[in-house]
Amino acid sequence: MEEQKKEFMRKAIELSLIGSQEGIGQGPFGAVIVKDGRIVGEGHNNVIAYNDPTAHAEVVAIRDACKNLGTYELQDCEIYTSCEPCPMCLSAIYWAKIGKIYYGNTRDDAAEIGFDDAFLYQEIPLPLAERTIAIEPLAREEAQVAFVLWAKKENKID
Ligand SMILES: [Zn+2]
């Protein structure tokens, strides 16, 4: 069992190597998603190749697993990621309802090679006015139309 877990992690590490060593190199991060003892999704960092700042290994793997399984929830799955997830990926893992996270490198290891996400952990608890990116409310009443209709809608998935 422990050995099988290590095999899944080795696959995530292999993806991190493929992604980072090919061509100009993506960030050195890889991830696999496992269900019932088999890999159902995988990915490595593809931010530059996809021109997509959200294409972190974990997000790419979640999209792959959801597509392969035809679902938007992965509660019976585990994720093996070559590095402790950043706040965006951690949130995506929660939204996907993945059951367990295994990680290789720590976020401090990532910070040491220039991938520091500590600022995000610091931003989130700050009051809106103190955050780095300006944020202000706008047209709430108009925006609420969709919420009101949603609240009244009968045939929706909770
Ligand atoms: Zn991430």
Side-chain angles (χ1 to χ4, degrees):
M1 194 62 189
E2 277 311 302
E3 196 48 40
Q4 197 189 22
K5 287 180 191 168
K6 279 192 188 154
E7 279 304 309
F8 292 135
M9 181 57 79
R10 285 186 194 116
K11 178 66 184 171
I13 293 165
E14 188 188 319
L15 286 161
S16 75
L17 283 164
I18 292 169
S20 58
Q21 296 304 312
E22 270 177 359
I24 53 165
Q26 308 286 328
F29 304 92
V32 298
I33 292 173
V34 171
K35 183 180 183 179
D36 301 327
R38 73 185 180 94
I39 292 173
V40 294
E42 61 177 56
H44 61 66
N45 183 293
N46 259 317
V47 168
I48 295 168
Y50 294 177
N51 282 330
D52 179 356
T54 68
H56 289 193
E58 299 94 324
V59 168
V60 173
I62 287 169
R63 288 177 182 157
D64 189 44
C66 287
K67 188 172 157 221
N68 291 336
L69 297 173
T71 181
Y72 54 88
E73 289 184 337
L74 301 170
Q75 58 268 79
D76 302 324
C77 299
E78 298 164 339
I79 188 165
Y80 294 76
T81 173
S82 69
C83 184
E84 194 181 339
C86 76
M88 176 183 73
C89 293
L90 188 62
S91 301
I93 289 165
Y94 274 86
W95 284 121
K97 300 188 169 74
I98 290 174
K100 183 154 186 183
I101 304 165
Y102 296 96
Y103 66 94
N105 291 296
T106 68
R107 65 167 110 144
D108 291 332
D109 296 334
E112 273 183 32
I113 60 157
F115 294 91
D116 194 355
D117 57 14
F119 75 99
L120 282 172
Y121 285 100
Q122 290 156 7
E123 278 285 301
I124 291 167
L126 288 177
L128 299 188
E130 291 173 30
R131 291 197 188 151
T132 308
I133 297 180
I135 175 169
E136 67 171 78
L138 186 65
R140 183 179 173 207
E141 265 180 42
E142 288 175 46
Q144 283 195 324
V145 171
F147 279 18
V148 170
L149 290 172
W150 175 259
K152 287 185 197 156
K153 189 172 165 69
E154 302 275 349
N155 58 337
K156 64 191 175 200
I157 300 168
D158 267 334

